[in-house]
């Protein structure tokens, strides 16, 4: 509690500190400057001060504070958001506690890429197939977004891959190297609004059976169609292979944290079974925006995906061939009635997917005798409408409503007899109400009430061992939130308090062979406070140094309200995997001659690893430093050199725990120190005038 009170006092002092008359004009100037940053949450283009959503932003500047091999370090500076990498390539992404449902990958968080749905019809997001260099920014909407983004209670992420400067032509090559066999190469060719990027990344990994290789190419373009239309295209192909070491127990961790999952008298280990993931993913999408008139705009996004997936696992060898199709259509009207500005947004999102699932015996990494032959088809639909009104320039109110439905159709061809079944999640209406009031030009108060609807994903209704879990129900929840924001040239920040109640929470279980399955765990109560503080100590570009100090943090209390497990009542227990307190503090130092230094300290409290609250991990303290030197050599050639280091102090350090693991195999150990170095060179030419 002592460290919490210190951080809270610091945040309160910085946000509410009266800088005096000398800074009043600067604060007003910064308030105008902040409005140049656009927040796209809930299809509304607002500045950070006036948006009705609680949003975390990842910009090229915030991504540049960390080594360019993963988004995890930058994502974890956003309060309430957690990204984990249990082993290289094995990502998990959580917003306000949704990791309880994500044994791997991304579940219960909806992703969009350049306005195109990236989360498929079954609720899974192949984030680990995307190369680090393919994404330039992320906008993380915290809290349920079902009123306009369809199924999901955990949040929404809007990713962007567009040229920083669309009037620039350039060719760029970068390379990075690090400990544990890490190396990456990234090539970019940009001709105006057309960009092609290829990325290769590989590493041996810290643990046994934890190597990774990924090759990915990404294409984006934006073209004018006629006088009022714009067509944006997105294409990606990724070939990903990563080994899965599996969890180990405490005694094994203490003996050698680099161990992969060990064999037992009845079950082989990860190395013997060559446990790994093989994924080939192809995505083609487009987004067409048509300005129908001064008031009306229509946009249509369509996509196709093809996935070839294989997973030699401890107990079986799973193969999947998946195809997906979907789209999103939006009509938007912006009008003015005296001093009232309105933004009415309506549309629908439809997705369909087919997954051919085949399970075999795993004979040392080779598919052997067939176990199951199953097909699953998934379809979901969301129809939504939202009205936003700005009254007297300083009050924004928003009301939205969506209708959501989802359906699984299951067919089993082997083992006989043939069986077919289906599960329909009945249509449900989801509301959202929000308001934002600007006070004194650079302060604002915001409040919202929103609902969420999240049916189980394909990997939850059809777990890794096969079968169809028709008994699983959709999660439903409501979030109430209030916040205070301040914009200023020297001081800016935000504090948010929320209360989220979830029904039919889906949690993961493991059997003796490590095969997973899922159950509904009753009700949860999730309460938290989040803050962000930025202090531009020195910001005058005429000075020899620019200094910025920032702090973000989260304090939570997540509990099961009604949860009966067999004969044990777990009501009132803390939800595992969620630290009560976590924070990030950083210092940005920008010097002359293109030299920059970024220092970051992150702390996470210990938390329980099982529902019974009998096993805890240890807290951690992480220090990271990155220095870079950028230099332009004449009008065309430029370069950048960088070096990064990481040091962790923790009794047990893992970048992702296996919660409620059978045999107490909770631990996926990670290195406590790391080093990286990188070089980038580029050539600019023939800048186009617009």
């Amino acid at each position: 509690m002592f460290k919490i009170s210190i951080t809270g006092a610091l945040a309160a002092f910085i946000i509410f500190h009266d800088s005096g008359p000398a800074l009043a004009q600067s604060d007003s100037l910064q308030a105008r400057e902040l409005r140049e940053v656009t927040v796209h949450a809930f299809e509304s283009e607002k500045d950070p001060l006036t948006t009705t959503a609680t949003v975390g932003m990842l910009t090229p500047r915030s991504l540049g504070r960390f080594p360019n091999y993963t988004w995890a370090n930058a994502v974890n500076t956003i309060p309430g958001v957690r990204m984990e990498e249990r082993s290289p390539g094995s990502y998990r992404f959580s917003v306000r506690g949704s990791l309880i449902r994500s044994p791997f990958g991304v579940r219960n968080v909806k992703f969009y890429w350049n306005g195109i749905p990236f989360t498929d019809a079954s609720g899974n997001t192949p984030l680990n197939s995307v190369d680090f260099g393919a994404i330039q920014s992320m906008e993380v909407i915290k809290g349920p977004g079902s009123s306009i983004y369809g199924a999901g209670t955990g949040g929404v992420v809007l990713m962007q891959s567009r040229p920083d400067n669309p009037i620039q032509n350039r060719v760029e090559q970068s390379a990075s190297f690090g400990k544990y066999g890490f190396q990456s190469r990234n090539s970019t060719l940009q001709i105006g609004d057309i960009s092609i990027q290829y990325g290769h990344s590989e590493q041996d990994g810290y643990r046994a059976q934890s190597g990774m290789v990924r090759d990915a190419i990404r294409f984006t373009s934006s073209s004018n169609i006629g006088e009022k239309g714009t067509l944006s295209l997105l294409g990606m192909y990724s070939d990903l292979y990563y080994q899965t070491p599996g969890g180990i127990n405490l005694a094994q961790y203490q003996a050698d944290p680099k161990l992969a999952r060990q064999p037992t008298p009845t079950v082989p280990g990860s190395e013997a079974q060559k446990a790994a993931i093989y994924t080939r993913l192809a995505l083609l999408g487009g987004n067409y925006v048509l300005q129908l008139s001064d008031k009306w705009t229509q946009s249509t996004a369509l996509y196709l995906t093809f996935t070839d997936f294989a997973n030699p696992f401890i107990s079986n060898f799973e193969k999947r061939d998946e195809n997906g199709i979907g789209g999103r259509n939006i009509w938007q009207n912006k009008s003015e009635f005296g001093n009232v500005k309105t933004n009415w947004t309506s549309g629908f999102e439809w997705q369909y997917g087919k997954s051919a699932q085949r399970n075999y015996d795993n004979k040392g990494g080779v598919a052997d005798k067939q176990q199951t032959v199953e097909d699953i088809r998934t379809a979901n639909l969301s129809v939504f409408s939202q009205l936003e009104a700005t009254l007297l320039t300083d009050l924004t109110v928003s009301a939205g409503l969506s209708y959501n439905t989802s359906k699984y159709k299951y067919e089993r061809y082997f083992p006989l007899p043939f069986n077919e079944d289906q599960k329909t999640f009945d249509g449900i209406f989801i509301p959202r109400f929000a308001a934002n009031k600007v006070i004194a030009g650079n302060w604002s108060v915001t409040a919202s009430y929103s609902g969420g609807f999240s049916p189980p994903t394909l990997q939850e209704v059809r777990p890794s061992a096969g079968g169809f879990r028709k008994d699983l129900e959709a999660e439903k929840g409501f979030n109430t939130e209030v916040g205070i924001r301040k914009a200023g040239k020297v001081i800016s920040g935000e504090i948010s308090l929320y209360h989220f109640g979830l029904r039919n929470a889906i949690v993961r279980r493991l059997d003796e062979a490590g095969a997973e399955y899922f159950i509904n765990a009753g009700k949860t109560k999730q309460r938290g406070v989040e803050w962000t503080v930025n202090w531009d100590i020195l910001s005058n570009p005429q000075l020899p140094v620019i200094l910025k100090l920032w702090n973000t943090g989260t304090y939570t209390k997540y509990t099961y309200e009604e949860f009966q497990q067999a004969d044990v009542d777990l009501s009132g227990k803390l939800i595992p995997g969620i630290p009560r307190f976590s924070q990030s503090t950083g210092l940005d130092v920008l010097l002359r001659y293109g030299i920059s230094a970024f220092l970051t300290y992150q702390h996470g409290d210990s938390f329980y690893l099982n529902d019974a609250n009998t096993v805890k991990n240890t807290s951690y303290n992480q220090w990271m430093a990155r220095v870079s030197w950028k230099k332009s050599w004449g009008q065309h050639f430029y370069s950048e050199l960088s070096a990064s280091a990481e040091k962790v102090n923790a009794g047990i350090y893992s970048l992702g725990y296996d919660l409620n693991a059978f045999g107490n195999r909770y631990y996926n150990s990670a290195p406590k120190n790391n080093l990286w170095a990188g070089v980038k060179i580029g050539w600019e030419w023939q800048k186009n005038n617009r």
Side-chain angles (χ1 to χ4, degrees), residues 95-396:
V95 181
R96 292 181 175 174
S98 58
L99 276 180
I100 185 70
R101 190 174 158 185
S102 302
F104 59 88
V106 183
R107 300 179 185 176
N108 203 25
V109 178
K110 194 75 176 286
F111 275 70
Y112 294 82
W113 190 355
N114 290 1
I116 300 167
F118 189 58
T119 299
D120 65 22
S122 66
N124 293 314
T125 304
L127 188 61
N128 54 2
S129 292
V130 182
D131 184 75
F132 175 86
I135 304 298
Q136 280 73 56
S137 65
M138 287 186 185
E139 189 173 313
V140 183
I141 305 171
K142 293 182 280 187
S146 295
S147 65
I148 203 167
Y149 294 109
T153 62
V156 181
V157 179
L158 310 179
M159 304 188 300
Q160 293 293 335
S161 294
R162 291 193 173 97
D164 297 333
N165 185 353
I167 66 173
Q168 178 188 49
N169 301 329
R170 66 186 172 108
V171 59
E172 187 176 277
Q173 178 67 47
S174 64
S176 300
F177 303 90
K179 294 182 66 175
Y180 311 110
F182 170 78
Q183 57 177 294
S184 69
R185 300 183 296 275
N186 195 286
S187 306
T188 302
L189 173 64
Q190 177 188 331
I191 308 294
D193 284 325
I194 299 174
S195 176
I196 301 174
Q197 181 260 336
Y198 164 75
H200 171 86
S201 180
E202 64 178 87
Q203 51 186 307
D204 299 330
Y206 171 71
R207 300 173 62 194
Q209 194 66 20
S210 64
M212 184 273 284
V213 180
R214 179 179 55 224
D215 291 276
I217 186 168
R218 181 263 298 165
F219 167 82
T220 59
S221 71
S222 180
S223 306
N224 294 327
I225 306 297
E227 296 182 358
K228 297 183 178 180
T230 302
L231 176 63
S232 300
L233 297 178
L234 169 65
M236 185 194 78
Y237 176 78
S238 174
D239 189 344
L240 170 66
Y241 161 72
Y242 65 93
Q243 298 171 327
T244 53
I248 56 179
N249 61 36
L250 181 59
Q252 293 164 348
Y253 180 95
Q254 292 172 337
D256 183 1
K258 295 184 178 181
L259 290 173
R261 173 175 168 162
Q262 297 297 288
T264 69
T266 57
V267 180
S270 296
E271 292 177 277
Q273 292 293 72
K274 294 181 172 56
I277 300 288
Y278 300 80
T279 302
R280 293 188 178 97
L281 170 68
L283 163 70
L284 179 62
N287 192 0
Y288 179 62
V289 180
L290 179 62
Q291 188 72 39
L292 298 171
S293 67
D294 293 339
K295 296 182 179 180
W296 284 96
T297 303
Q298 184 200 44
S299 65
T300 302
L302 298 171
Y303 75 88
L304 292 168
T305 59
F306 306 91
T307 304
D308 179 10
F309 177 91
N311 176 206
F313 185 58
I314 301 296
S315 56
N316 59 57
F317 194 121
E318 180 185 7
K319 293 185 178 181
R320 301 202 307 259
D321 291 315
E322 299 179 329
N323 302 319
I325 185 173
R328 183 174 174 87
N329 181 260
I330 297 174
W331 292 75
Q332 195 166 59
N333 176 277
K334 295 183 179 180
S335 301
E336 293 188 28
F337 304 93
N339 292 328
V340 178
K341 296 181 179 180
T342 62
N343 181 358
W344 179 44
T345 302
S346 295
F348 69 92
E349 183 175 315
W350 173 82
Q351 293 180 288
Y352 173 83
K354 179 183 178 182
S355 180
Q357 312 238 351
R358 309 291 184 260
N359 279 29
Y360 306 83
D361 290 345
N362 181 12
K363 190 174 182 179
V366 177
D368 195 40
K369 183 180 178 181
Q370 193 155 47
Q371 295 180 355
T372 63
V373 178
E374 301 166 317
D375 286 353
I376 296 185
R377 293 172 174 84
T378 310
N380 58 57
L381 173 69
S382 177
V383 181
F384 53 86
S385 186
Q386 174 183 274
L387 179 63
E388 182 181 84
T390 301
L391 313 174
L392 304 175
T393 73
D394 60 5
L395 175 62
T396 301

Side-chain angles (χ1 to χ4, degrees), residues 347-521:
F348 69 92
E349 183 175 315
W350 173 82
Q351 293 180 288
Y352 173 83
K354 179 183 178 182
S355 180
Q357 312 238 351
R358 309 291 184 260
N359 279 29
Y360 306 83
D361 290 345
N362 181 12
K363 190 174 182 179
V366 177
D368 195 40
K369 183 180 178 181
Q370 193 155 47
Q371 295 180 355
T372 63
V373 178
E374 301 166 317
D375 286 353
I376 296 185
R377 293 172 174 84
T378 310
N380 58 57
L381 173 69
S382 177
V383 181
F384 53 86
S385 186
Q386 174 183 274
L387 179 63
E388 182 181 84
T390 301
L391 313 174
L392 304 175
T393 73
D394 60 5
L395 175 62
T396 301
V397 295
S398 177
L401 183 69
S402 71
Y403 173 81
N404 304 269
T405 184
S406 183
K407 181 178 181 179
Y408 285 105
K409 184 178 180 181
Y410 168 81
E411 296 172 313
R412 186 188 69 198
Y413 299 94
F414 183 82
L416 294 172
F418 171 80
N419 180 46
E420 61 180 344
D421 208 340
Q422 66 180 32
K423 175 72 173 183
T424 300
F425 300 93
D426 295 332
I428 181 173
F429 288 94
I430 299 294
R432 179 179 182 267
F433 304 98
N436 179 287
K437 178 69 168 69
V438 177
I439 302 171
N442 53 14
W443 289 82
S444 69
V445 178
T446 185
S448 65
Y449 176 81
S450 57
F453 164 79
S454 182
T457 66
L458 185 148
Q459 269 66 57
E460 291 165 340
V461 297
R462 195 272 184 189
S464 58
F468 187 61
R469 295 298 302 268
K470 188 177 179 179
D471 58 320
L472 274 178
E473 298 296 335
E475 293 182 336
K476 300 175 185 178
F478 287 92
N479 185 72
T480 304
E481 188 161 350
V482 294
I484 301 174
R485 299 171 185 150
K486 182 182 188 297
K489 186 174 180 61
V490 178
I491 304 295
S492 61
E494 177 178 8
I495 296 178
S496 299
L497 294 90
Y498 63 90
H499 179 284
F500 179 52
L502 188 65
R503 291 177 292 161
N504 294 327
I506 297 174
V507 298
R508 181 200 191 204
R509 292 290 180 269
L510 293 175
D511 62 21
E512 182 179 3
E516 63 187 8
Y517 63 96
F518 296 83
I519 63 172
N520 290 110

Side-chain angles (χ1 to χ4, degrees), residues 495-562:
I495 296 178
S496 299
L497 294 90
Y498 63 90
H499 179 284
F500 179 52
L502 188 65
R503 291 177 292 161
N504 294 327
I506 297 174
V507 298
R508 181 200 191 204
R509 292 290 180 269
L510 293 175
D511 62 21
E512 182 179 3
E516 63 187 8
Y517 63 96
F518 296 83
I519 63 172
N520 290 110
K523 296 181 180 179
T524 70
K525 181 184 293 184
Q526 300 171 203
R527 294 170 290 182
V529 56
E530 301 167 352
W531 64 86
T532 299
V533 179
N534 297 289
W535 181 11
D536 289 318
I537 303 171
L538 298 174
S539 58
N540 189 338
Q542 303 301 320
L543 295 174
V545 60
I546 294 176
L547 295 177
K548 179 177 182 177
L549 181 66
W550 53 271
N551 175 265
T552 64
T554 306
Y555 181 74
T556 66
K557 187 177 182 181
Y558 290 2
T559 57
Y560 290 120
E561 290 305 294
E562 296 180 10

